């Protein structure tokens, strides 16, 4: 079980690693059929003639897998991974057979001036494939609770 962290437990420069997730052609097509039905996500033949030159996962599929990896331990936040905004880029396509993992780094911590029970933590997360190639960069501002009175150290 991963220790859950409160605002006071984070430090700029702190890093976290997620587990991994394999992307299959079937999962890429299934996600695309429901949420991003473009030919280069649905059909290998059509994808060969596209900008991607082959089947590629939707960026939103990559983002969804990233979220799952963060929730499963790549971002051990006591209150959950709750977004307050951010930026996302996909410098390289995610392909069938890619095994994704996420490395995250804390870049800023801001206690709230108006809500004393929480703050915002800015996290830069890179989703990489098995070759270490970055397929997604996400900078997100996350709502993080302060440690409740009477709770000491990281909660488990």
């Amino acid at each position: 079980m991963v220790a859950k962290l409160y605002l006071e437990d984070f430090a700029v420069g702190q890093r976290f690693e997620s587990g991994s997730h394999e992307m299959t052609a079937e999962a890429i097509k299934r996600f695309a059929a429901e949420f991003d039905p473009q030919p280069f996500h649905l059909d290998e033949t059509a994808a060969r003639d596209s900008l991607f030159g082959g089947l590629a996962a939707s960026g939103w599929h990559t983002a969804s897998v990233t979220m799952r990896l963060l929730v499963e331990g790549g971002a051990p936040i006591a209150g959950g991974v709750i977004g307050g905004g951010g930026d996302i880029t996909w410098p390289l396509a995610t392909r069938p057979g890619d095994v994704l993992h996420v490395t995250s780094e804390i870049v800023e911590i801001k206690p709230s001036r108006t809500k004393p029970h929480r703050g915002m933590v800015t996290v830069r997360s890179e989703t990489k494939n098995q070759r270490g190639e970055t397929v997604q960069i996400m900078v997100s501002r996350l709502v993080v609770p302060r440690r409740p009175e009477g709770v000491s150290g990281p909660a488990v």
Side-chain angles (χ1 to χ4, degrees), residues 99-155:
V99 178
L100 305 181
H101 69 279
V102 183
T103 302
S104 299
E105 181 177 354
I106 306 301
V107 295
E108 184 177 35
I109 302 165
K110 283 181 151 180
S112 174
R113 284 184 239 141
T114 59
K115 295 178 177 71
H117 61 285
R118 68 183 188 208
M120 298 292 280
V121 173
T122 302
V123 181
R124 184 178 194 278
S125 298
E126 288 192 20
T127 305
K128 296 183 178 199
N129 63 24
Q130 69 281 3
R131 292 178 297 282
E133 300 166 327
T134 301
V135 297
Q136 178 181 284
I137 300 167
M138 180 172 66
V139 177
S140 49
R141 291 176 300 284
L142 303 176
V143 179
V144 179
R146 287 185 170 271
R147 183 183 281 76
E149 202 171 301
V151 175
S152 62

Side-chain angles (χ1 to χ4, degrees), residues 46-70:
R48 276 195 294 275
D49 296 329
S50 75
L51 170 97
F52 296 106
L55 191 66
S58 167
W60 301 113
H61 189 182
T62 302
S64 295
V65 169
T66 298
M67 182 64 177
R68 179 179 181 152
L69 292 171
L70 292 173

